[in-house]
Amino acid sequence: MPTTDTRLSAPVMTGDRRPTPPTPRPPTDLPPYLAGNGGAHVVREASAVSGTVLLTLTGSFGVGTVACLHEALADARHERATHTVLDLARVTSGDSFFLHELLSAHFSHRELLLIGPIPLPLHHLFLRTGTLRLFTVLPDRARVGFA
């Protein structure tokens, strides 16, 4: 019987008409995590480094859109990733709900890395709240091998 899990490929029929078991899709085939109103999304990208989850965030993250980030981070935590890498270069804004998700990830993931360049609105948010010093921030993808 075909599976309904969207993270698995469809069963393949063999010559004797018996389906082969579904195989996991590579991370790049996973659908993006979407905000309900379409204002933000998170894409999981392939990582050549074992145990590393790379998430690229795009859009404005706030009370109505941060659920997609929450879901992506929960999946990374469930996989027990050694490194969770968040590319924030395409984030246009973030509020206290966004900051709450980043802080939760900082304390619940083995190692959380933020890569930029960090947009000015986020940089100001981190400075105003005194949270910038909590995060490991790298200036660009090349620093972590994701050029």
Side-chain angles (χ1 to χ4, degrees):
M1 170 169 258
T3 180
T4 57
D5 187 347
T6 59
R7 293 176 189 250
L8 298 176
S9 64
V12 177
M13 298 300 284
T14 60
D16 61 2
R17 309 300 285 167
R18 288 181 294 166
T20 59
T23 56
R25 292 181 181 176
T28 54
D29 288 345
L30 296 175
Y33 299 89
L34 302 173
N37 67 5
H41 67 273
V42 178
V43 175
R44 179 169 177 175
E45 296 186 39
S47 172
V49 181
S50 178
T52 298
V53 172
L54 171 61
L55 301 172
T56 300
L57 288 63
T58 303
S60 177
F61 288 85
V63 66
T65 57
V66 78
C68 63
L69 176 58
H70 178 82
E71 184 181 356
L73 289 168
D75 286 351
R77 187 173 46 252
H78 178 69
E79 291 177 28
R80 301 180 200 269
T82 306
H83 296 87
T84 303
V85 181
L86 303 181
D87 184 343
L88 302 179
R90 296 183 184 140
V91 176
T92 55
S93 66
D95 67 5
S96 60
F97 292 92
F98 175 71
L99 183 58
H100 174 78
E101 287 301 325
L102 294 182
L103 290 170
S104 294
H106 170 73
F107 291 109
S108 64
H109 290 247
R110 285 184 177 174
E111 185 170 357
L112 179 70
L113 300 172
L114 306 181
I115 57 177
I118 303 296
L120 196 56
L122 294 185
H123 189 75
H124 286 208
L125 175 67
F126 296 151
L127 288 177
R128 283 192 314 263
T129 58
T131 54
L132 184 60
R133 62 184 172 76
L134 294 176
F135 299 112
T136 302
V137 180
L138 300 172
D140 55 48
R141 289 172 157 249
R143 298 287 174 119
V144 288
F146 297 112

